[in-house]
């Protein structure tokens, strides 16, 4: 934490725990396990301590650095497939990982042998979002990779996973979820556990939990949720989700200056300058709580706002914002924003 920074994010830990519990209950009603996606908060110690008090059993993250500093009793699951150079850290800091490349899997196997561990692997399948994963139509590669893991003494094939809405915006529907279930079922003879995992959804699948009329294949046994829990937002359409707290995180930014500026068209505007910019977080993903304020744009370290409809603001006053997911992730990844815990 940088004590010189005048910018803060307040984190309401009780509301965060409420959102986790609410998600857990929604999943439980569908006989699905919840994996808490922690990547947006970069292993924040105070937040993870609060998560430790919840019934969720799996922490999912895409960064090994985050896992390395976590103090948790929960299962640690790496959800971004590794590169070979990360194999040692994968085995050391995680219990399970999503993988796609046989060469990387062999490196992980070697490291698991050296560390005298058995590492769990979920095979990542691409069902149409065209990001990571073996394409679902490449049945020979899927079977070859799954067979290798199954036959290894230091790896266990514990399931299959897929992403939604991460690159091309593919959303879960009956057809693609059925396809995923078919891939999962085709590997039944190769799983090394009695209850293999089909990790078949993310926060964009939350409507499957809240709408009883939507189809979910019985094979899906895990949903990974981050944005819905952190912000109460459905990334499928960026709307708030009924029943969730939407103010877990609040950004507080002081105003550097307020001046009336003449514009090129002859008009004038009361403009404020905030002590935050693109180096701090994604400034196009913050929303003023005072709806009279408009964000005009930002440079590396300052953000300009229109205060014409809110003329009472002055230098030194604080403007509060809610965060979208992109702003949350970049804020915690940086070093210029202080954290305050409620």
């Amino acid at each position: 934490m940088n004590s010189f920074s005048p910018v803060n994010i307040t984190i309401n830990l009780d509301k965060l725990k409420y959102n986790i519990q609410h998600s857990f209950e929604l999943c439980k009603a569908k006989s699905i396990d919840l994996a808490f996606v922690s990547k947006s908060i970069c292993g924040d110690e105070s937040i993870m301590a609060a998560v430790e008090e919840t019934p969720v059993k799996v922490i999912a993250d895409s960064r090994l650095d985050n896992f390395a500093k976590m103090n948790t009793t929960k299962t640690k699951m790496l959800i971004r497939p590794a590169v070979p150079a990360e194999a040692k850290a994968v085995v050391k800091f995680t219990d399970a990982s999503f993988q796609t490349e046989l060469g990387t899997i062999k490196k992980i196997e070697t490291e698991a042998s050296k560390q005298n561990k058995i590492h769990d692997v979920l095979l990542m399948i691409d069902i149409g979002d065209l990001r990571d994963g073996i394409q679902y139509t490449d049945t020979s590669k899927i079977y070859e990779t799954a067979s290798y893991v199954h036959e290894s003494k230091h790896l266990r094939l514990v399931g299959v996973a897929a992403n939604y809405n991460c690159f091309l915006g593919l959303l879960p529907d009956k057809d693609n979820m059925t396809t995923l279930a078919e891939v999962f079922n085709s590997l039944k003879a190769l799983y090394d556990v009695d209850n293999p995992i089909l990790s078949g959804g993310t926060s964009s699948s939350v409507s499957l939990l809240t709408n009883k009329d939507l189809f979910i294949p019985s094979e899906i046994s895990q949903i990974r949720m981050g944005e819905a829990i952190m912000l109460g937002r459905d990334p499928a359409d960026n709307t708030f989700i009924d029943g969730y707290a939407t103010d877990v995180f609040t950004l507080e930014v002081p105003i550097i200056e307020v001046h009336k500026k003449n514009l090129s068209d002859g008009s004038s505007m009361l403009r404020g300058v905030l002590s935050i910019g693109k180096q701090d977080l994604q400034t196009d993903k913050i929303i003023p709580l005072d709806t009279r304020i408009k964000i005009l744009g930002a440079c590396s370290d300052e953000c300009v706002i229109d205060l014409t409809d809110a003329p009472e603001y002055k230098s030194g006053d604080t403007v509060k914002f809610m965060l979208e997911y992109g702003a949350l992730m970049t804020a915690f990844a940086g070093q210029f924003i202080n954290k305050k815990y409620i």
Side-chain angles (χ1 to χ4, degrees):
M1 182 174 70
N2 188 321
S3 61
F4 296 109
S5 174
V7 181
N8 298 292
I9 287 181
T10 62
I11 303 106
N12 191 311
L13 298 175
D14 286 338
K15 291 184 177 182
L16 177 69
K17 288 190 288 185
Y18 164 79
N19 279 357
I20 293 175
Q21 183 68 42
H22 184 57
S23 301
F24 181 84
E25 296 296 337
L26 289 174
C27 288
K28 185 178 178 181
K30 301 278 189 178
S31 299
I32 293 172
D33 292 328
L34 172 66
F36 171 69
V37 178
S38 60
K39 63 182 181 180
S40 63
I41 49 93
C42 298
D44 181 273
E45 183 178 352
S46 297
I47 294 177
M48 293 309 301
V51 174
E52 199 70 11
E53 299 174 4
T54 70
V56 67
K57 296 179 181 178
V58 176
I59 305 297
D61 207 302
S62 59
R63 306 276 181 173
L64 289 164
D65 296 85
N66 294 339
F67 281 126
K69 62 183 179 181
M70 278 185 198
N71 181 19
T72 180
T73 61
K74 302 179 187 296
T75 298
K76 293 179 286 187
M77 185 171 71
L78 180 68
I79 56 175
R80 181 175 68 178
V83 297
E86 295 175 309
K88 182 177 180 179
V90 169
V91 176
K92 182 176 181 179
F93 296 117
T94 73
D95 305 299
S97 63
F98 295 179
Q99 300 299 339
T100 68
E101 286 284 350
L102 190 53
T104 301
I105 289 171
K106 290 178 179 179
K107 290 285 188 180
I108 292 172
E109 178 187 34
T110 299
E111 285 298 333
S113 176
K114 290 179 181 178
Q115 297 181 38
N116 195 27
K117 291 182 178 180
I118 296 177
H119 185 77
D120 291 346
V121 172
L122 290 88
L123 204 60
M124 177 68 85
I125 305 298
D126 181 0
I127 55 171
D129 201 47
L130 301 185
R131 200 183 70 167
D132 44 355
I134 304 172
Q135 196 156 36
Y136 73 93
T137 54
D138 196 347
T139 55
S140 60
K141 181 172 287 188
I142 291 172
Y143 192 83
E144 175 191 8
T145 310
S147 296
Y148 186 90
V149 176
H150 171 64
E151 293 167 7
S152 170
K153 293 180 180 180
H154 291 276
L155 303 175
R156 291 196 307 174
L157 184 65
V158 299
V160 164
N163 275 324
Y164 286 99
N165 199 34
C166 289
F167 188 65
L168 291 185
L170 178 77
L171 296 176
D173 59 30
K174 183 176 182 179
D175 289 340
N176 59 45
M177 285 191 295
T178 298
T179 296
L180 180 60
E182 289 172 350
V183 174
F184 174 77
N185 287 329
S186 72
L187 300 176
K188 275 185 176 180
L190 301 178
Y191 295 122
D192 298 313
V193 290
D194 293 334
N195 296 301
I197 302 165
L198 178 51
S199 187
T202 59
S203 285
S204 59
S205 305
V206 68
S207 60
L208 300 175
L209 303 175
T210 57
N211 188 336
K212 65 180 181 181
D213 296 325
L214 294 181
F215 171 81
I216 304 179
S218 59
E219 290 88 351
I220 291 180
S221 58
Q222 183 189 85
I223 287 183
R224 313 179 303 275
M225 296 178 68
E227 184 170 352
I229 290 172
M230 301 296 192
L231 304 177
R233 285 179 177 270
D234 183 347
D237 55 11
N238 202 30
T239 58
F240 292 120
I241 312 164
D242 289 341
Y244 279 82
T246 59
D247 56 350
V248 174
F249 299 90
T250 304
L251 178 69
E252 301 172 344
V253 188
I255 301 174
I256 297 173
E257 66 171 44
V258 177
H259 291 298
K260 191 173 184 178
K261 301 289 180 80
N262 296 322
L263 306 182
S264 59
D265 63 0
S267 64
S268 63
M269 178 186 294
L270 187 65
R271 291 194 174 202
V273 177
L274 300 177
S275 57
I276 199 167
K278 293 180 179 179
Q279 189 175 7
D280 303 290
L281 83 177
Q282 291 185 20
T283 52
D284 59 337
K285 300 296 182 182
I286 60 176
I287 304 168
L289 293 182
D290 187 336
T291 58
R292 299 174 300 163
I293 298 174
K294 299 179 181 62
I295 298 175
L296 300 175
C299 60
S300 60
D301 51 13
E302 294 180 350
C303 180
V304 182
I305 55 175
D306 181 355
L307 292 172
T308 303
D309 296 332
E312 72 275 18
Y313 283 90
K314 61 184 183 299
S315 174
D317 287 348
T318 296
V319 180
K320 295 184 177 182
F321 299 85
M322 66 175 64
L323 305 175
E324 295 185 23
Y325 201 54
L328 179 67
M329 289 190 296
T330 49
F332 272 83
Q335 60 178 319
F336 301 115
I337 300 178
N338 292 312
K339 315 299 187 302
K340 296 195 303 184
Y341 304 94
I342 301 174

